[in-house]
Amino acid sequence: MAAGSNAPVGVFDSGVGGLTVAREIMRQLPEERMVYFGDTARLPYGTKSKNTVIRFSRQIVRFLMTKEVKAIVIACNTATACALEEIQRELPIPVIGVIDAAARVAGSVTKNNRVGVVGTTATIESGMYEKALRQYNEKAEVYGKACPLLVSLAEEGWLHDTITEEVVSRYLKDLQYKSVDTLILGCTHYPLLRSTFRKIAGEDVTLVNPAYEVAMELGELLGREGLSCRGDVGRAGEKYEFFVSDAAEKFCDFANTILPYDIGAVQQIDIEDFETEDLREGETCRRM
Ligand code: DGL
């Protein structure tokens, strides 16, 4: 049976980074219920092969379906790049990822048609931001830069640190030579480093935050499909559920530094219990 409009939205990520997306959904769509899953036992996804990320994503989606979610948001840029198309094909409910929403905005705000994308190695190598951007702006020149060190720095809490500034500055150098006027923060953790990106990239570069854009897209999607929540579904503590595959306490501590309210309980589950059909190993998440 199809989930009703008061059913929760399912959101998943490789770990804590997707909380930047959860936060935007809480802010923009406060009436919606949400079930969040963070795959803390198996992160990072950004260094893994495409088939591994697809297999993990399928297991998570299968878990979220047991929660009778009405729609799914893939908050993780890497999982969106590697698995969105498969998951969309396989599920009977709407599924969106962070890439399309951000690409649409970047494609329309750029004035010189030169757009930079920063993200994990897997996201950048997939070429999915470039593919999506071209759909909205065929003149766009897209320059990707993998910035693998930034996830650790953000999780360490070094958001406004001189070391983080130095690292961002090194990573952005190539993009600055390309004179990009728009920069997509294409990894869940990078919105937390927004002020550092702003400082290094300068005031003239428009920063696009996929977390913000996908929450907007979710609101539009739910409205269009007649799935927006009707009526009062309870207070924050009742509306939101959090699940992880490991280290629930650490997740809880991190969540409480970035979410607009303190989360009480985080449940740990064995995500491997939700195994689905295996894919062949070997193919990597490279440009298609
Ligand atoms: N959530 C990932 C992303 O947005 C970053 C962390 C990871 O590599 O798992 O790409």
PDB file of all heavy atoms in Angstrom, residues 83-104:
ATOM      1  N   ALA A  83      24.460   5.969  -7.150  1.00  0.00           N
ATOM      2  CA  ALA A  83      23.326   5.038  -6.997  1.00  0.00           C
ATOM      3  C   ALA A  83      21.944   5.620  -7.301  1.00  0.00           C
ATOM      4  O   ALA A  83      20.972   4.857  -7.374  1.00  0.00           O
ATOM      5  CB  ALA A  83      23.329   4.491  -5.571  1.00  0.00           C
ATOM      6  N   LEU A  84      21.832   6.950  -7.489  1.00  0.00           N
ATOM      7  CA  LEU A  84      20.485   7.526  -7.642  1.00  0.00           C
ATOM      8  C   LEU A  84      19.693   6.872  -8.777  1.00  0.00           C
ATOM      9  O   LEU A  84      18.534   6.506  -8.602  1.00  0.00           O
ATOM     10  CB  LEU A  84      20.570   9.044  -7.874  1.00  0.00           C
ATOM     11  CG  LEU A  84      19.216   9.720  -8.133  1.00  0.00           C
ATOM     12  CD1 LEU A  84      18.351   9.714  -6.873  1.00  0.00           C
ATOM     13  CD2 LEU A  84      19.380  11.151  -8.631  1.00  0.00           C
ATOM     14  N   GLU A  85      20.327   6.717  -9.938  1.00  0.00           N
ATOM     15  CA  GLU A  85      19.578   6.209 -11.096  1.00  0.00           C
ATOM     16  C   GLU A  85      19.045   4.804 -10.825  1.00  0.00           C
ATOM     17  O   GLU A  85      17.881   4.513 -11.122  1.00  0.00           O
ATOM     18  CB  GLU A  85      20.458   6.245 -12.350  1.00  0.00           C
ATOM     19  CG  GLU A  85      20.661   7.681 -12.826  1.00  0.00           C
ATOM     20  CD  GLU A  85      21.657   7.824 -13.970  1.00  0.00           C
ATOM     21  OE1 GLU A  85      22.250   6.801 -14.379  1.00  0.00           O
ATOM     22  OE2 GLU A  85      21.836   8.955 -14.444  1.00  0.00           O
ATOM     23  N   GLU A  86      19.863   3.941 -10.220  1.00  0.00           N
ATOM     24  CA  GLU A  86      19.423   2.576  -9.905  1.00  0.00           C
ATOM     25  C   GLU A  86      18.265   2.603  -8.912  1.00  0.00           C
ATOM     26  O   GLU A  86      17.256   1.932  -9.087  1.00  0.00           O
ATOM     27  CB  GLU A  86      20.568   1.743  -9.287  1.00  0.00           C
ATOM     28  CG  GLU A  86      21.475   1.087 -10.278  1.00  0.00           C
ATOM     29  CD  GLU A  86      22.452   2.073 -10.905  1.00  0.00           C
ATOM     30  OE1 GLU A  86      22.456   3.255 -10.477  1.00  0.00           O
ATOM     31  OE2 GLU A  86      23.195   1.676 -11.806  1.00  0.00           O
ATOM     32  N   ILE A  87      18.439   3.391  -7.857  1.00  0.00           N
ATOM     33  CA  ILE A  87      17.416   3.413  -6.795  1.00  0.00           C
ATOM     34  C   ILE A  87      16.097   3.967  -7.355  1.00  0.00           C
ATOM     35  O   ILE A  87      15.022   3.441  -7.064  1.00  0.00           O
ATOM     36  CB  ILE A  87      17.890   4.273  -5.586  1.00  0.00           C
ATOM     37  CG1 ILE A  87      19.218   3.737  -5.027  1.00  0.00           C
ATOM     38  CG2 ILE A  87      16.831   4.347  -4.504  1.00  0.00           C
ATOM     39  CD1 ILE A  87      19.176   2.401  -4.357  1.00  0.00           C
ATOM     40  N   GLN A  88      16.185   5.007  -8.169  1.00  0.00           N
ATOM     41  CA  GLN A  88      14.963   5.574  -8.758  1.00  0.00           C
ATOM     42  C   GLN A  88      14.237   4.524  -9.604  1.00  0.00           C
ATOM     43  O   GLN A  88      13.021   4.444  -9.593  1.00  0.00           O
ATOM     44  CB  GLN A  88      15.303   6.781  -9.641  1.00  0.00           C
ATOM     45  CG  GLN A  88      15.490   8.055  -8.843  1.00  0.00           C
ATOM     46  CD  GLN A  88      15.875   9.239  -9.705  1.00  0.00           C
ATOM     47  OE1 GLN A  88      16.522   9.070 -10.741  1.00  0.00           O
ATOM     48  NE2 GLN A  88      15.505  10.433  -9.279  1.00  0.00           N
ATOM     49  N   ARG A  89      15.043   3.760 -10.361  1.00  0.00           N
ATOM     50  CA  ARG A  89      14.448   2.728 -11.220  1.00  0.00           C
ATOM     51  C   ARG A  89      13.753   1.638 -10.416  1.00  0.00           C
ATOM     52  O   ARG A  89      12.740   1.100 -10.822  1.00  0.00           O
ATOM     53  CB  ARG A  89      15.567   2.071 -12.053  1.00  0.00           C
ATOM     54  CG  ARG A  89      15.420   2.314 -13.535  1.00  0.00           C
ATOM     55  CD  ARG A  89      16.240   1.379 -14.388  1.00  0.00           C
ATOM     56  NE  ARG A  89      17.533   1.006 -13.884  1.00  0.00           N
ATOM     57  CZ  ARG A  89      18.665   1.686 -14.117  1.00  0.00           C
ATOM     58  NH1 ARG A  89      18.635   2.774 -14.848  1.00  0.00           N
ATOM     59  NH2 ARG A  89      19.807   1.276 -13.638  1.00  0.00           N
ATOM     60  N   GLU A  90      14.288   1.341  -9.240  1.00  0.00           N
ATOM     61  CA  GLU A  90      13.818   0.176  -8.494  1.00  0.00           C
ATOM     62  C   GLU A  90      12.690   0.476  -7.497  1.00  0.00           C
ATOM     63  O   GLU A  90      12.020  -0.429  -7.043  1.00  0.00           O
ATOM     64  CB  GLU A  90      15.001  -0.452  -7.738  1.00  0.00           C
ATOM     65  CG  GLU A  90      15.994  -1.091  -8.688  1.00  0.00           C
ATOM     66  CD  GLU A  90      17.322  -1.454  -8.017  1.00  0.00           C
ATOM     67  OE1 GLU A  90      17.392  -1.437  -6.782  1.00  0.00           O
ATOM     68  OE2 GLU A  90      18.271  -1.763  -8.763  1.00  0.00           O
ATOM     69  N   LEU A  91      12.512   1.761  -7.133  1.00  0.00           N
ATOM     70  CA  LEU A  91      11.551   2.060  -6.070  1.00  0.00           C
ATOM     71  C   LEU A  91      10.229   2.625  -6.589  1.00  0.00           C
ATOM     72  O   LEU A  91      10.216   3.404  -7.538  1.00  0.00           O
ATOM     73  CB  LEU A  91      12.142   3.082  -5.092  1.00  0.00           C
ATOM     74  CG  LEU A  91      13.092   2.589  -4.019  1.00  0.00           C
ATOM     75  CD1 LEU A  91      13.153   3.603  -2.880  1.00  0.00           C
ATOM     76  CD2 LEU A  91      12.702   1.241  -3.464  1.00  0.00           C
ATOM     77  N   PRO A  92       9.139   2.275  -5.921  1.00  0.00           N
ATOM     78  CA  PRO A  92       7.824   2.780  -6.350  1.00  0.00           C
ATOM     79  C   PRO A  92       7.490   4.159  -5.783  1.00  0.00           C
ATOM     80  O   PRO A  92       6.422   4.688  -6.048  1.00  0.00           O
ATOM     81  CB  PRO A  92       6.866   1.720  -5.793  1.00  0.00           C
ATOM     82  CG  PRO A  92       7.561   1.203  -4.570  1.00  0.00           C
ATOM     83  CD  PRO A  92       9.036   1.297  -4.832  1.00  0.00           C
ATOM     84  N   ILE A  93       8.394   4.734  -4.981  1.00  0.00           N
ATOM     85  CA  ILE A  93       8.134   6.060  -4.393  1.00  0.00           C
ATOM     86  C   ILE A  93       9.149   7.063  -4.968  1.00  0.00           C
ATOM     87  O   ILE A  93      10.194   6.659  -5.482  1.00  0.00           O
ATOM     88  CB  ILE A  93       8.235   6.034  -2.843  1.00  0.00           C
ATOM     89  CG1 ILE A  93       9.628   5.554  -2.405  1.00  0.00           C
ATOM     90  CG2 ILE A  93       7.132   5.190  -2.228  1.00  0.00           C
ATOM     91  CD1 ILE A  93       9.905   5.757  -0.922  1.00  0.00           C
ATOM     92  N   PRO A  94       8.859   8.384  -4.870  1.00  0.00           N
ATOM     93  CA  PRO A  94       9.820   9.364  -5.394  1.00  0.00           C
ATOM     94  C   PRO A  94      11.146   9.330  -4.643  1.00  0.00           C
ATOM     95  O   PRO A  94      11.169   9.222  -3.420  1.00  0.00           O
ATOM     96  CB  PRO A  94       9.123  10.714  -5.166  1.00  0.00           C
ATOM     97  CG  PRO A  94       7.707  10.417  -4.858  1.00  0.00           C
ATOM     98  CD  PRO A  94       7.643   9.012  -4.318  1.00  0.00           C
ATOM     99  N   VAL A  95      12.233   9.410  -5.410  1.00  0.00           N
ATOM    100  CA  VAL A  95      13.588   9.442  -4.826  1.00  0.00           C
ATOM    101  C   VAL A  95      14.332  10.610  -5.478  1.00  0.00           C
ATOM    102  O   VAL A  95      14.357  10.717  -6.711  1.00  0.00           O
ATOM    103  CB  VAL A  95      14.376   8.147  -5.134  1.00  0.00           C
ATOM    104  CG1 VAL A  95      15.746   8.180  -4.449  1.00  0.00           C
ATOM    105  CG2 VAL A  95      13.605   6.905  -4.709  1.00  0.00           C
ATOM    106  N   ILE A  96      14.906  11.481  -4.658  1.00  0.00           N
ATOM    107  CA  ILE A  96      15.721  12.564  -5.215  1.00  0.00           C
ATOM    108  C   ILE A  96      17.098  12.572  -4.545  1.00  0.00           C
ATOM    109  O   ILE A  96      17.253  12.083  -3.426  1.00  0.00           O
ATOM    110  CB  ILE A  96      15.059  13.969  -5.084  1.00  0.00           C
ATOM    111  CG1 ILE A  96      14.705  14.290  -3.630  1.00  0.00           C
ATOM    112  CG2 ILE A  96      13.851  14.075  -5.989  1.00  0.00           C
ATOM    113  CD1 ILE A  96      14.198  15.723  -3.439  1.00  0.00           C
ATOM    114  N   GLY A  97      18.058  13.150  -5.262  1.00  0.00           N
ATOM    115  CA  GLY A  97      19.406  13.276  -4.709  1.00  0.00           C
ATOM    116  C   GLY A  97      19.810  14.742  -4.724  1.00  0.00           C
ATOM    117  O   GLY A  97      19.066  15.605  -5.207  1.00  0.00           O
ATOM    118  N   VAL A  98      21.006  15.005  -4.216  1.00  0.00           N
ATOM    119  CA  VAL A  98      21.441  16.393  -4.055  1.00  0.00           C
ATOM    120  C   VAL A  98      22.001  17.034  -5.336  1.00  0.00           C
ATOM    121  O   VAL A  98      22.083  18.261  -5.415  1.00  0.00           O
ATOM    122  CB  VAL A  98      22.523  16.507  -2.949  1.00  0.00           C
ATOM    123  CG1 VAL A  98      21.896  16.626  -1.585  1.00  0.00           C
ATOM    124  CG2 VAL A  98      23.488  15.349  -2.990  1.00  0.00           C
ATOM    125  N   ILE A  99      22.345  16.211  -6.320  1.00  0.00           N
ATOM    126  CA  ILE A  99      23.083  16.767  -7.458  1.00  0.00           C
ATOM    127  C   ILE A  99      22.205  17.611  -8.388  1.00  0.00           C
ATOM    128  O   ILE A  99      22.561  18.733  -8.753  1.00  0.00           O
ATOM    129  CB  ILE A  99      23.775  15.629  -8.240  1.00  0.00           C
ATOM    130  CG1 ILE A  99      24.902  15.045  -7.374  1.00  0.00           C
ATOM    131  CG2 ILE A  99      24.304  16.111  -9.590  1.00  0.00           C
ATOM    132  CD1 ILE A  99      25.689  13.905  -8.006  1.00  0.00           C
ATOM    133  N   ASP A 100      21.047  17.093  -8.738  1.00  0.00           N
ATOM    134  CA  ASP A 100      20.229  17.777  -9.732  1.00  0.00           C
ATOM    135  C   ASP A 100      19.792  19.178  -9.263  1.00  0.00           C
ATOM    136  O   ASP A 100      19.879  20.146 -10.014  1.00  0.00           O
ATOM    137  CB  ASP A 100      19.001  16.925 -10.069  1.00  0.00           C
ATOM    138  CG  ASP A 100      18.367  17.378 -11.356  1.00  0.00           C
ATOM    139  OD1 ASP A 100      18.987  17.173 -12.416  1.00  0.00           O
ATOM    140  OD2 ASP A 100      17.276  17.981 -11.297  1.00  0.00           O
ATOM    141  N   ALA A 101      19.352  19.250  -8.013  1.00  0.00           N
ATOM    142  CA  ALA A 101      18.858  20.538  -7.488  1.00  0.00           C
ATOM    143  C   ALA A 101      19.970  21.586  -7.517  1.00  0.00           C
ATOM    144  O   ALA A 101      19.760  22.737  -7.919  1.00  0.00           O
ATOM    145  CB  ALA A 101      18.351  20.341  -6.063  1.00  0.00           C
ATOM    146  N   ALA A 102      21.176  21.179  -7.108  1.00  0.00           N
ATOM    147  CA  ALA A 102      22.296  22.130  -7.062  1.00  0.00           C
ATOM    148  C   ALA A 102      22.738  22.505  -8.479  1.00  0.00           C
ATOM    149  O   ALA A 102      23.057  23.675  -8.750  1.00  0.00           O
ATOM    150  CB  ALA A 102      23.457  21.522  -6.288  1.00  0.00           C
ATOM    151  N   ALA A 103      22.739  21.533  -9.378  1.00  0.00           N
ATOM    152  CA  ALA A 103      23.167  21.803 -10.758  1.00  0.00           C
ATOM    153  C   ALA A 103      22.210  22.776 -11.438  1.00  0.00           C
ATOM    154  O   ALA A 103      22.629  23.663 -12.190  1.00  0.00           O
ATOM    155  CB  ALA A 103      23.238  20.491 -11.537  1.00  0.00           C
ATOM    156  N   ARG A 104      20.923  22.617 -11.163  1.00  0.00           N
ATOM    157  CA  ARG A 104      19.922  23.508 -11.772  1.00  0.00           C
ATOM    158  C   ARG A 104      20.190  24.961 -11.362  1.00  0.00           C
ATOM    159  O   ARG A 104      20.201  25.875 -12.194  1.00  0.00           O
ATOM    160  CB  ARG A 104      18.520  23.073 -11.329  1.00  0.00           C
ATOM    161  CG  ARG A 104      17.414  23.940 -11.884  1.00  0.00           C
ATOM    162  CD  ARG A 104      16.102  23.196 -11.990  1.00  0.00           C
ATOM    163  NE  ARG A 104      15.858  22.322 -10.849  1.00  0.00           N
ATOM    164  CZ  ARG A 104      14.964  22.559  -9.896  1.00  0.00           C
ATOM    165  NH1 ARG A 104      14.239  23.643  -9.932  1.00  0.00           N
ATOM    166  NH2 ARG A 104      14.794  21.718  -8.895  1.00  0.00           N
TER     167      ARG A 104
END
